[in-house]
Structures are given as structure tokens and as C-alpha cells.
Amino acid sequence: MNHDFIYEALPTRVIFGQGKLQSLPHEVERLGARRVLVLSTPQQEPWAQNVSELLGSVSAGIYSNATMHTPVEISEQAVAQVQRLEADCVVALGGGSTTGLGKAIALRTGLPQIAVPTTYAGSEMTPILGETENGVKTTKRLPVILPKTVIYDVDLSLTLPAALSATSGLNAMAHAVEALYAQDRNPVTSIMAEEGLAAFARALPTITQSPKDLEARSDALYGAWLCGICLASAGMALHHKLCHVLGGAFDLPHAQTHAVMLPHTAAYNSKAAADAMQRIARALNAPDAAQGLWDLAGKLGAPRSLKELGMPETGIELATELALKNPYWNPRPLEADGIRKLLARAWAGEAPSL
């Protein structure tokens, strides 16, 4: 087999297991930080208060206004808070919204960040930030954006509702699916991608039935970590582009949009990425990758149409236009007609076209 690739390991320290939140004060100390600002969404403010108490005298306070799609105005408010409190480090507690805010602060201030994920988003493992301004989401990739330390505490995922666990897990799986057919894929991320997909395929149906199942929760968080590395290490293609377009233009919920789109984007690329599809099908223990992803979403009770997420049917044309606007690599060439049909099926909640 011809191996021709570049692999770059990103310098993040990962602490994984049960009860690992208790190691946060030690990790703050390792970074030499003295005044830590804890970040969360409004819903997770009580948790942020607990984390602030755990940090004791090194906590500078909390900022609990993290918002989906990382709006620039929220990031600027948070930076003002950082400066007011003279914080020298941020701790992002939560899912992609809070992690995104931590990254946006790091980008503007250069401060180190510790991520404590409570969902399966995976963005905590990447040097990538997607920010929204005037309905447009733009992406930056810089070393300063990467969290210094990530604490994966399995206990923190036990309260993630089953429905959110499903969509968050499918969102994470999308990182692995695209890493398997990425232009810059490599053997290491391909092994991680297949392992991450298999971990989720095992864990998510159990979590849907028994949300407090510790082994399944541990498996899912392990999958999230692996899929997060895939997102950081390999370029993403049509799937992530479409989800960015749909999220930015119609303010659709991030994880749910990924859950709806994944079977359709896999189907679009299936003939052009046969080897990747074989590995995905193997990880899912299914005869076909796109059908396997569609069936898994159904089994988990995840949304399977853009219509139910609130996207108007008239948006299909705009989304097709935006998806073709800035050229990017994809295993199958981007064709307006193919993308329009894919979006129409996803909007209506029809099975992927195989």
C-alpha cells in the first residue's frame, strides 16, 4: 500500500475519566494562572458557580452568556469582562457554544484556556473557531485558538439529556466521517475516525434507553475525543460547509443540523469515496454507510428533516447558492443540481438517495 501523508500531532493535554473535574485547580496551577474566568451558557450558570467555588481564591468570577454559533458581539462583551477582572486564563464549561467563546477570547487576548466539555461537540480538540456576524459564519484556524488542556469528566455527561446526547453524538460522528475521505487524511486519523464511529455506534443506542449508563457514557465521551482529533487533524468537506451555511443563514441548532445532514452528505460522496464508506459501514456494523447513518438517527429518535428544525422550504435555493459560493475540496465535484436535490431530501425528511 502506498503511504504518502503528513501527520501533525497538536499539543493539547487531555485528562480523561470519572471525577476528573477535581483536577481543575491543579491544571490551572500548571499553567501558572492566578485569576480564572469561568465561562458557560445561561442554562449552565449553576454549574459554572460550582466550578468557580472549586477554584476558590483563583476564580475571578463567571461569564455565563455563551451563545450558539459564537456571535462576535458576545465575544467582545466577554473580552471586556476579562479585561475588567484582569483574568489571566479562561475555563470553558459546556458544549460547543462555550468552547467557542473560550476560543474567541483566546484569539483576541492570547490567554490560555482550559476546556471542560459536557457534550460530544469535539471542538475542544481543535485550533478552529467559527464566528457569526450579520448571519454569516466565518472560520479561522490558528494555534492560539487551541485549548491548552481538556478535562473530560465522564460524570459531567450523565445529565446530558438523551435527545441532546443523540444529536451531539451524530455531530461528533460527522467529524470522523469527513476525516475518512478528507484530502489530507492520514493513517493515524483514519484509525481514530473508525474507532470513534464504532464507540458512538455502540454507546448512543444504550444512552437513549439508559441515560445514566456509565459504560456507555464513557464510550461516547471517548468517541467524542477521537472524533474531535479528527476534526482538528483533517480538512472537512461538503458536510461541514453545508452545516455552516444552514446554521449561519437560518440560525438552525448546530448539532441537530449535523444529525439531519450526515446521511445525505455521505450518500452524495458515497461513489467518490468508496474506501471511506466501507470503513464507516464497518464501524456502524451496517451494509451501507449512508443508510447506516440514517437508520442510527432513526433508532436514536434524532431529527431527520430540516423542516422540523425550522428551515423554510424557500431556503433550499439560497443554501445551494451559498454552498457553491467559495470553492472548497470535496471527493465528488460540487454540482448545483446534486446539492439542491440533497437539500430538498434533507428538508423533507426523506431517506438519503443511494
Side-chain angles (χ1 to χ4, degrees), residues 123-154:
S123 61
E124 64 279 352
M125 291 307 299
T126 78
I128 304 161
L129 169 64
E131 294 188 288
T132 307
E133 195 167 19
N134 305 322
V136 179
K137 197 165 189 175
T138 51
T139 305
K140 294 183 179 76
R141 185 188 187 106
L142 289 164
V144 71
I145 292 169
L146 184 71
K148 296 281 185 217
T149 305
V150 180
I151 298 174
Y152 287 103
D153 187 333
V154 177

PDB file of all heavy atoms in Angstrom, residues 123-154:
ATOM      1  N   SER A 123     -15.138  20.212  19.546  1.00  0.00           N
ATOM      2  CA  SER A 123     -14.375  21.393  19.129  1.00  0.00           C
ATOM      3  C   SER A 123     -13.264  21.752  20.116  1.00  0.00           C
ATOM      4  O   SER A 123     -12.339  22.476  19.788  1.00  0.00           O
ATOM      5  CB  SER A 123     -15.301  22.590  18.913  1.00  0.00           C
ATOM      6  OG  SER A 123     -15.975  22.910  20.103  1.00  0.00           O
ATOM      7  N   GLU A 124     -13.350  21.181  21.338  1.00  0.00           N
ATOM      8  CA  GLU A 124     -12.306  21.438  22.340  1.00  0.00           C
ATOM      9  C   GLU A 124     -10.936  20.903  21.899  1.00  0.00           C
ATOM     10  O   GLU A 124      -9.907  21.312  22.430  1.00  0.00           O
ATOM     11  CB  GLU A 124     -12.697  20.821  23.690  1.00  0.00           C
ATOM     12  CG  GLU A 124     -12.814  19.314  23.710  1.00  0.00           C
ATOM     13  CD  GLU A 124     -14.123  18.755  23.183  1.00  0.00           C
ATOM     14  OE1 GLU A 124     -15.069  19.537  22.915  1.00  0.00           O
ATOM     15  OE2 GLU A 124     -14.216  17.525  23.034  1.00  0.00           O
ATOM     16  N   MET A 125     -10.910  19.998  20.921  1.00  0.00           N
ATOM     17  CA  MET A 125      -9.635  19.418  20.467  1.00  0.00           C
ATOM     18  C   MET A 125      -9.046  20.145  19.259  1.00  0.00           C
ATOM     19  O   MET A 125      -8.029  19.730  18.725  1.00  0.00           O
ATOM     20  CB  MET A 125      -9.829  17.935  20.100  1.00  0.00           C
ATOM     21  CG  MET A 125     -10.099  17.025  21.275  1.00  0.00           C
ATOM     22  SD  MET A 125      -8.888  17.138  22.614  1.00  0.00           S
ATOM     23  CE  MET A 125      -7.399  16.638  21.777  1.00  0.00           C
ATOM     24  N   THR A 126      -9.693  21.231  18.822  1.00  0.00           N
ATOM     25  CA  THR A 126      -9.266  21.843  17.553  1.00  0.00           C
ATOM     26  C   THR A 126      -8.763  23.287  17.704  1.00  0.00           C
ATOM     27  O   THR A 126      -9.196  24.009  18.599  1.00  0.00           O
ATOM     28  CB  THR A 126     -10.435  21.889  16.540  1.00  0.00           C
ATOM     29  OG1 THR A 126     -11.315  22.986  16.893  1.00  0.00           O
ATOM     30  CG2 THR A 126     -11.233  20.603  16.536  1.00  0.00           C
ATOM     31  N   PRO A 127      -7.884  23.697  16.763  1.00  0.00           N
ATOM     32  CA  PRO A 127      -7.465  25.097  16.709  1.00  0.00           C
ATOM     33  C   PRO A 127      -8.355  25.896  15.748  1.00  0.00           C
ATOM     34  O   PRO A 127      -7.909  26.803  15.065  1.00  0.00           O
ATOM     35  CB  PRO A 127      -6.032  24.995  16.176  1.00  0.00           C
ATOM     36  CG  PRO A 127      -6.063  23.801  15.274  1.00  0.00           C
ATOM     37  CD  PRO A 127      -7.136  22.872  15.795  1.00  0.00           C
ATOM     38  N   ILE A 128      -9.644  25.512  15.681  1.00  0.00           N
ATOM     39  CA  ILE A 128     -10.583  26.108  14.714  1.00  0.00           C
ATOM     40  C   ILE A 128     -11.675  26.864  15.462  1.00  0.00           C
ATOM     41  O   ILE A 128     -12.218  26.363  16.450  1.00  0.00           O
ATOM     42  CB  ILE A 128     -11.234  25.022  13.831  1.00  0.00           C
ATOM     43  CG1 ILE A 128     -10.166  24.183  13.120  1.00  0.00           C
ATOM     44  CG2 ILE A 128     -12.191  25.625  12.809  1.00  0.00           C
ATOM     45  CD1 ILE A 128     -10.670  22.842  12.613  1.00  0.00           C
ATOM     46  N   LEU A 129     -11.994  28.054  14.979  1.00  0.00           N
ATOM     47  CA  LEU A 129     -13.077  28.861  15.568  1.00  0.00           C
ATOM     48  C   LEU A 129     -14.009  29.316  14.457  1.00  0.00           C
ATOM     49  O   LEU A 129     -13.568  29.904  13.463  1.00  0.00           O
ATOM     50  CB  LEU A 129     -12.476  30.095  16.280  1.00  0.00           C
ATOM     51  CG  LEU A 129     -13.464  31.176  16.713  1.00  0.00           C
ATOM     52  CD1 LEU A 129     -14.426  30.663  17.769  1.00  0.00           C
ATOM     53  CD2 LEU A 129     -12.723  32.411  17.226  1.00  0.00           C
ATOM     54  N   GLY A 130     -15.312  29.042  14.628  1.00  0.00           N
ATOM     55  CA  GLY A 130     -16.324  29.568  13.704  1.00  0.00           C
ATOM     56  C   GLY A 130     -17.095  30.671  14.410  1.00  0.00           C
ATOM     57  O   GLY A 130     -17.688  30.438  15.466  1.00  0.00           O
ATOM     58  N   GLU A 131     -17.051  31.881  13.848  1.00  0.00           N
ATOM     59  CA  GLU A 131     -17.744  33.033  14.467  1.00  0.00           C
ATOM     60  C   GLU A 131     -18.825  33.559  13.533  1.00  0.00           C
ATOM     61  O   GLU A 131     -18.653  33.538  12.312  1.00  0.00           O
ATOM     62  CB  GLU A 131     -16.756  34.169  14.732  1.00  0.00           C
ATOM     63  CG  GLU A 131     -15.708  33.849  15.763  1.00  0.00           C
ATOM     64  CD  GLU A 131     -14.886  35.086  16.129  1.00  0.00           C
ATOM     65  OE1 GLU A 131     -14.073  35.528  15.307  1.00  0.00           O
ATOM     66  OE2 GLU A 131     -15.075  35.599  17.238  1.00  0.00           O
ATOM     67  N   THR A 132     -19.913  34.070  14.108  1.00  0.00           N
ATOM     68  CA  THR A 132     -21.020  34.580  13.294  1.00  0.00           C
ATOM     69  C   THR A 132     -21.170  36.087  13.456  1.00  0.00           C
ATOM     70  O   THR A 132     -21.163  36.603  14.571  1.00  0.00           O
ATOM     71  CB  THR A 132     -22.344  33.885  13.686  1.00  0.00           C
ATOM     72  OG1 THR A 132     -22.138  32.472  13.617  1.00  0.00           O
ATOM     73  CG2 THR A 132     -23.465  34.252  12.744  1.00  0.00           C
ATOM     74  N   GLU A 133     -21.294  36.750  12.317  1.00  0.00           N
ATOM     75  CA  GLU A 133     -21.555  38.197  12.302  1.00  0.00           C
ATOM     76  C   GLU A 133     -22.473  38.492  11.122  1.00  0.00           C
ATOM     77  O   GLU A 133     -22.193  38.058   9.995  1.00  0.00           O
ATOM     78  CB  GLU A 133     -20.227  38.965  12.164  1.00  0.00           C
ATOM     79  CG  GLU A 133     -20.366  40.437  12.495  1.00  0.00           C
ATOM     80  CD  GLU A 133     -19.006  41.123  12.655  1.00  0.00           C
ATOM     81  OE1 GLU A 133     -17.986  40.590  12.180  1.00  0.00           O
ATOM     82  OE2 GLU A 133     -18.988  42.205  13.263  1.00  0.00           O
ATOM     83  N   ASN A 134     -23.577  39.188  11.368  1.00  0.00           N
ATOM     84  CA  ASN A 134     -24.560  39.524  10.332  1.00  0.00           C
ATOM     85  C   ASN A 134     -25.021  38.289   9.541  1.00  0.00           C
ATOM     86  O   ASN A 134     -25.099  38.314   8.315  1.00  0.00           O
ATOM     87  CB  ASN A 134     -23.984  40.575   9.361  1.00  0.00           C
ATOM     88  CG  ASN A 134     -23.495  41.806  10.092  1.00  0.00           C
ATOM     89  OD1 ASN A 134     -24.101  42.241  11.064  1.00  0.00           O
ATOM     90  ND2 ASN A 134     -22.384  42.370   9.632  1.00  0.00           N
ATOM     91  N   GLY A 135     -25.287  37.191  10.263  1.00  0.00           N
ATOM     92  CA  GLY A 135     -25.827  35.993   9.610  1.00  0.00           C
ATOM     93  C   GLY A 135     -24.821  35.182   8.803  1.00  0.00           C
ATOM     94  O   GLY A 135     -25.188  34.239   8.124  1.00  0.00           O
ATOM     95  N   VAL A 136     -23.538  35.556   8.875  1.00  0.00           N
ATOM     96  CA  VAL A 136     -22.515  34.810   8.128  1.00  0.00           C
ATOM     97  C   VAL A 136     -21.507  34.222   9.109  1.00  0.00           C
ATOM     98  O   VAL A 136     -20.978  34.928   9.980  1.00  0.00           O
ATOM     99  CB  VAL A 136     -21.794  35.708   7.092  1.00  0.00           C
ATOM    100  CG1 VAL A 136     -20.726  34.915   6.341  1.00  0.00           C
ATOM    101  CG2 VAL A 136     -22.801  36.279   6.106  1.00  0.00           C
ATOM    102  N   LYS A 137     -21.239  32.918   8.959  1.00  0.00           N
ATOM    103  CA  LYS A 137     -20.287  32.246   9.845  1.00  0.00           C
ATOM    104  C   LYS A 137     -18.952  32.113   9.120  1.00  0.00           C
ATOM    105  O   LYS A 137     -18.887  31.569   8.021  1.00  0.00           O
ATOM    106  CB  LYS A 137     -20.829  30.863  10.226  1.00  0.00           C
ATOM    107  CG  LYS A 137     -20.140  30.252  11.438  1.00  0.00           C
ATOM    108  CD  LYS A 137     -20.928  29.077  11.986  1.00  0.00           C
ATOM    109  CE  LYS A 137     -20.369  28.604  13.315  1.00  0.00           C
ATOM    110  NZ  LYS A 137     -21.164  27.547  13.927  1.00  0.00           N
ATOM    111  N   THR A 138     -17.902  32.639   9.731  1.00  0.00           N
ATOM    112  CA  THR A 138     -16.570  32.523   9.127  1.00  0.00           C
ATOM    113  C   THR A 138     -15.669  31.723  10.060  1.00  0.00           C
ATOM    114  O   THR A 138     -15.842  31.751  11.280  1.00  0.00           O
ATOM    115  CB  THR A 138     -15.937  33.908   8.878  1.00  0.00           C
ATOM    116  OG1 THR A 138     -16.003  34.655  10.088  1.00  0.00           O
ATOM    117  CG2 THR A 138     -16.654  34.665   7.784  1.00  0.00           C
ATOM    118  N   THR A 139     -14.719  31.030   9.466  1.00  0.00           N
ATOM    119  CA  THR A 139     -13.869  30.116  10.222  1.00  0.00           C
ATOM    120  C   THR A 139     -12.417  30.554  10.186  1.00  0.00           C
ATOM    121  O   THR A 139     -11.911  30.961   9.141  1.00  0.00           O
ATOM    122  CB  THR A 139     -13.998  28.687   9.617  1.00  0.00           C
ATOM    123  OG1 THR A 139     -15.374  28.333   9.602  1.00  0.00           O
ATOM    124  CG2 THR A 139     -13.249  27.670  10.441  1.00  0.00           C
ATOM    125  N   LYS A 140     -11.770  30.475  11.337  1.00  0.00           N
ATOM    126  CA  LYS A 140     -10.326  30.761  11.427  1.00  0.00           C
ATOM    127  C   LYS A 140      -9.639  29.544  12.030  1.00  0.00           C
ATOM    128  O   LYS A 140     -10.216  28.852  12.863  1.00  0.00           O
ATOM    129  CB  LYS A 140     -10.063  31.962  12.350  1.00  0.00           C
ATOM    130  CG  LYS A 140     -10.586  33.282  11.858  1.00  0.00           C
ATOM    131  CD  LYS A 140     -10.201  34.402  12.833  1.00  0.00           C
ATOM    132  CE  LYS A 140     -10.705  35.746  12.351  1.00  0.00           C
ATOM    133  NZ  LYS A 140     -12.157  35.909  12.558  1.00  0.00           N
ATOM    134  N   ARG A 141      -8.388  29.331  11.630  1.00  0.00           N
ATOM    135  CA  ARG A 141      -7.599  28.223  12.177  1.00  0.00           C
ATOM    136  C   ARG A 141      -6.229  28.772  12.562  1.00  0.00           C
ATOM    137  O   ARG A 141      -5.442  29.157  11.686  1.00  0.00           O
ATOM    138  CB  ARG A 141      -7.469  27.120  11.118  1.00  0.00           C
ATOM    139  CG  ARG A 141      -6.766  25.881  11.628  1.00  0.00           C
ATOM    140  CD  ARG A 141      -6.478  24.883  10.504  1.00  0.00           C
ATOM    141  NE  ARG A 141      -5.947  23.662  11.081  1.00  0.00           N
ATOM    142  CZ  ARG A 141      -6.606  22.525  11.198  1.00  0.00           C
ATOM    143  NH1 ARG A 141      -7.836  22.429  10.742  1.00  0.00           N
ATOM    144  NH2 ARG A 141      -6.052  21.474  11.764  1.00  0.00           N
ATOM    145  N   LEU A 142      -5.952  28.821  13.870  1.00  0.00           N
ATOM    146  CA  LEU A 142      -4.684  29.369  14.373  1.00  0.00           C
ATOM    147  C   LEU A 142      -4.268  28.622  15.637  1.00  0.00           C
ATOM    148  O   LEU A 142      -5.124  28.223  16.424  1.00  0.00           O
ATOM    149  CB  LEU A 142      -4.846  30.861  14.722  1.00  0.00           C
ATOM    150  CG  LEU A 142      -5.006  31.855  13.575  1.00  0.00           C
ATOM    151  CD1 LEU A 142      -5.544  33.160  14.110  1.00  0.00           C
ATOM    152  CD2 LEU A 142      -3.677  32.063  12.863  1.00  0.00           C
ATOM    153  N   PRO A 143      -2.955  28.468  15.891  1.00  0.00           N
ATOM    154  CA  PRO A 143      -2.513  27.751  17.094  1.00  0.00           C
ATOM    155  C   PRO A 143      -3.066  28.341  18.400  1.00  0.00           C
ATOM    156  O   PRO A 143      -3.390  27.590  19.325  1.00  0.00           O
ATOM    157  CB  PRO A 143      -0.985  27.879  17.036  1.00  0.00           C
ATOM    158  CG  PRO A 143      -0.670  28.066  15.584  1.00  0.00           C
ATOM    159  CD  PRO A 143      -1.825  28.835  15.017  1.00  0.00           C
ATOM    160  N   VAL A 144      -3.221  29.670  18.482  1.00  0.00           N
ATOM    161  CA  VAL A 144      -3.687  30.307  19.726  1.00  0.00           C
ATOM    162  C   VAL A 144      -5.112  29.876  20.091  1.00  0.00           C
ATOM    163  O   VAL A 144      -5.528  29.961  21.253  1.00  0.00           O
ATOM    164  CB  VAL A 144      -3.584  31.848  19.620  1.00  0.00           C
ATOM    165  CG1 VAL A 144      -4.623  32.427  18.657  1.00  0.00           C
ATOM    166  CG2 VAL A 144      -3.724  32.508  20.987  1.00  0.00           C
ATOM    167  N   ILE A 145      -5.874  29.390  19.102  1.00  0.00           N
ATOM    168  CA  ILE A 145      -7.270  29.007  19.319  1.00  0.00           C
ATOM    169  C   ILE A 145      -7.393  27.662  20.050  1.00  0.00           C
ATOM    170  O   ILE A 145      -8.403  27.369  20.686  1.00  0.00           O
ATOM    171  CB  ILE A 145      -8.018  28.988  17.954  1.00  0.00           C
ATOM    172  CG1 ILE A 145      -8.145  30.422  17.406  1.00  0.00           C
ATOM    173  CG2 ILE A 145      -9.392  28.351  18.059  1.00  0.00           C
ATOM    174  CD1 ILE A 145      -8.621  30.515  15.963  1.00  0.00           C
ATOM    175  N   LEU A 146      -6.343  26.853  20.011  1.00  0.00           N
ATOM    176  CA  LEU A 146      -6.385  25.513  20.611  1.00  0.00           C
ATOM    177  C   LEU A 146      -6.306  25.573  22.140  1.00  0.00           C
ATOM    178  O   LEU A 146      -5.383  26.171  22.683  1.00  0.00           O
ATOM    179  CB  LEU A 146      -5.201  24.692  20.080  1.00  0.00           C
ATOM    180  CG  LEU A 146      -5.120  23.227  20.513  1.00  0.00           C
ATOM    181  CD1 LEU A 146      -6.201  22.399  19.834  1.00  0.00           C
ATOM    182  CD2 LEU A 146      -3.741  22.647  20.205  1.00  0.00           C
ATOM    183  N   PRO A 147      -7.277  24.950  22.854  1.00  0.00           N
ATOM    184  CA  PRO A 147      -7.163  24.900  24.318  1.00  0.00           C
ATOM    185  C   PRO A 147      -5.866  24.218  24.765  1.00  0.00           C
ATOM    186  O   PRO A 147      -5.402  23.276  24.111  1.00  0.00           O
ATOM    187  CB  PRO A 147      -8.384  24.086  24.747  1.00  0.00           C
ATOM    188  CG  PRO A 147      -9.385  24.308  23.656  1.00  0.00           C
ATOM    189  CD  PRO A 147      -8.562  24.378  22.402  1.00  0.00           C
ATOM    190  N   LYS A 148      -5.301  24.713  25.877  1.00  0.00           N
ATOM    191  CA  LYS A 148      -4.051  24.124  26.397  1.00  0.00           C
ATOM    192  C   LYS A 148      -4.331  22.756  27.031  1.00  0.00           C
ATOM    193  O   LYS A 148      -3.540  21.842  26.925  1.00  0.00           O
ATOM    194  CB  LYS A 148      -3.439  25.039  27.470  1.00  0.00           C
ATOM    195  CG  LYS A 148      -3.008  26.402  26.960  1.00  0.00           C
ATOM    196  CD  LYS A 148      -1.674  26.310  26.254  1.00  0.00           C
ATOM    197  CE  LYS A 148      -1.191  27.694  25.843  1.00  0.00           C
ATOM    198  NZ  LYS A 148      -0.499  27.666  24.550  1.00  0.00           N
ATOM    199  N   THR A 149      -5.458  22.679  27.747  1.00  0.00           N
ATOM    200  CA  THR A 149      -5.814  21.455  28.476  1.00  0.00           C
ATOM    201  C   THR A 149      -7.297  21.172  28.282  1.00  0.00           C
ATOM    202  O   THR A 149      -8.113  22.104  28.250  1.00  0.00           O
ATOM    203  CB  THR A 149      -5.532  21.630  29.990  1.00  0.00           C
ATOM    204  OG1 THR A 149      -4.164  22.008  30.150  1.00  0.00           O
ATOM    205  CG2 THR A 149      -5.799  20.354  30.773  1.00  0.00           C
ATOM    206  N   VAL A 150      -7.629  19.886  28.142  1.00  0.00           N
ATOM    207  CA  VAL A 150      -9.041  19.485  28.072  1.00  0.00           C
ATOM    208  C   VAL A 150      -9.280  18.446  29.163  1.00  0.00           C
ATOM    209  O   VAL A 150      -8.546  17.457  29.268  1.00  0.00           O
ATOM    210  CB  VAL A 150      -9.398  18.889  26.689  1.00  0.00           C
ATOM    211  CG1 VAL A 150     -10.874  18.478  26.658  1.00  0.00           C
ATOM    212  CG2 VAL A 150      -9.106  19.894  25.577  1.00  0.00           C
ATOM    213  N   ILE A 151     -10.290  18.707  29.987  1.00  0.00           N
ATOM    214  CA  ILE A 151     -10.658  17.763  31.044  1.00  0.00           C
ATOM    215  C   ILE A 151     -11.970  17.088  30.655  1.00  0.00           C
ATOM    216  O   ILE A 151     -13.018  17.739  30.594  1.00  0.00           O
ATOM    217  CB  ILE A 151     -10.802  18.476  32.411  1.00  0.00           C
ATOM    218  CG1 ILE A 151      -9.457  19.096  32.828  1.00  0.00           C
ATOM    219  CG2 ILE A 151     -11.313  17.505  33.478  1.00  0.00           C
ATOM    220  CD1 ILE A 151      -9.529  19.950  34.087  1.00  0.00           C
ATOM    221  N   TYR A 152     -11.894  15.801  30.343  1.00  0.00           N
ATOM    222  CA  TYR A 152     -13.089  15.015  30.031  1.00  0.00           C
ATOM    223  C   TYR A 152     -13.502  14.269  31.293  1.00  0.00           C
ATOM    224  O   TYR A 152     -12.871  13.283  31.664  1.00  0.00           O
ATOM    225  CB  TYR A 152     -12.788  13.991  28.935  1.00  0.00           C
ATOM    226  CG  TYR A 152     -12.611  14.555  27.540  1.00  0.00           C
ATOM    227  CD1 TYR A 152     -11.343  14.700  26.981  1.00  0.00           C
ATOM    228  CD2 TYR A 152     -13.713  14.918  26.768  1.00  0.00           C
ATOM    229  CE1 TYR A 152     -11.179  15.190  25.687  1.00  0.00           C
ATOM    230  CE2 TYR A 152     -13.563  15.416  25.486  1.00  0.00           C
ATOM    231  CZ  TYR A 152     -12.291  15.545  24.950  1.00  0.00           C
ATOM    232  OH  TYR A 152     -12.137  16.030  23.665  1.00  0.00           O
ATOM    233  N   ASP A 153     -14.545  14.760  31.948  1.00  0.00           N
ATOM    234  CA  ASP A 153     -15.061  14.103  33.142  1.00  0.00           C
ATOM    235  C   ASP A 153     -16.360  13.391  32.768  1.00  0.00           C
ATOM    236  O   ASP A 153     -17.367  14.044  32.464  1.00  0.00           O
ATOM    237  CB  ASP A 153     -15.307  15.133  34.245  1.00  0.00           C
ATOM    238  CG  ASP A 153     -15.694  14.490  35.579  1.00  0.00           C
ATOM    239  OD1 ASP A 153     -16.264  13.379  35.564  1.00  0.00           O
ATOM    240  OD2 ASP A 153     -15.425  15.102  36.632  1.00  0.00           O
ATOM    241  N   VAL A 154     -16.320  12.066  32.750  1.00  0.00           N
ATOM    242  CA  VAL A 154     -17.487  11.262  32.334  1.00  0.00           C
ATOM    243  C   VAL A 154     -18.722  11.626  33.156  1.00  0.00           C
ATOM    244  O   VAL A 154     -19.840  11.686  32.630  1.00  0.00           O
ATOM    245  CB  VAL A 154     -17.171   9.754  32.450  1.00  0.00           C
ATOM    246  CG1 VAL A 154     -18.389   8.908  32.084  1.00  0.00           C
ATOM    247  CG2 VAL A 154     -15.984   9.385  31.555  1.00  0.00           C
TER     248      VAL A 154
END
